[in-house]
Amino acid sequence: MRFGTVGGIGFLVDTAVLYTALGLGSGLYAGRVLSYLVAASGNWFLNRLWTFRDASPERPGRQWALFLVVNICGFVINYGVYAALVSSVAIVAAHPVLGVAAGALAGMTGNFFLNRSLVFRQDNRTDTTTL
């Protein structure tokens, strides 16, 4: 539940940054790369503090970098769905938030399991986090 809540917040950040970048003249694709990086960084911070707060402590910089590397899998799925929809569905190109939402949902499940097992590992404590 926490991971999904953080993902929802990340979706709002992702969308806000994308529309800001588009307003400043960025294209649909470059703007989305920027918005994803900003949202992913915020998601790491919230997941570290709240979702996986019982995980073994890691140095923040190392953990953030590992989080971004691990989330490349989710990003590829997320961005691929977004790009496919923006390039082939006129309503999504006109309203990119639809592509952001579809991409976020597509990448979320894999990201949860990868993050739980690789980034926010439990140290012999009961894992109470839920999707």
Side-chain angles (χ1 to χ4, degrees):
M1 188 69 108
R2 292 178 192 165
F3 192 82
T5 300
V6 168
I9 293 167
F11 167 74
L12 295 174
V13 170
D14 198 343
T15 301
V17 172
L18 174 61
Y19 277 83
T20 300
L22 292 172
L24 295 172
S26 176
L28 288 169
Y29 303 103
R32 184 67 204 291
V33 170
L34 174 65
S35 71
Y36 181 85
L37 288 173
V38 172
S41 295
N43 283 5
W44 163 78
F45 183 75
L46 292 174
N47 279 315
R48 179 180 170 90
L49 291 179
W50 186 46
T51 307
F52 299 106
R53 65 177 175 254
D54 294 331
S56 298
E58 294 276 345
R59 292 188 323 260
R62 181 185 183 289
Q63 188 180 54
W64 173 77
L66 181 59
F67 180 84
L68 291 180
V69 167
V70 164
N71 282 281
I72 291 293
C73 294
F75 173 74
V76 168
I77 294 167
N78 185 324
Y79 191 81
V81 168
Y82 168 82
L85 291 173
V86 164
S87 67
S88 64
V89 180
I91 194 158
V92 178
H95 303 283
V97 65
L98 299 173
V100 173
L105 289 172
M108 184 171 53
T109 301
N111 277 346
F112 172 76
F113 290 108
L114 288 171
N115 278 296
R116 185 177 66 177
S117 64
L118 299 174
V119 179
F120 300 104
R121 294 181 304 274
Q122 300 293 311
D123 61 352
N124 299 324
R125 298 179 194 168
T126 303
D127 180 11
T128 59
T129 59
T130 60
L131 182 60

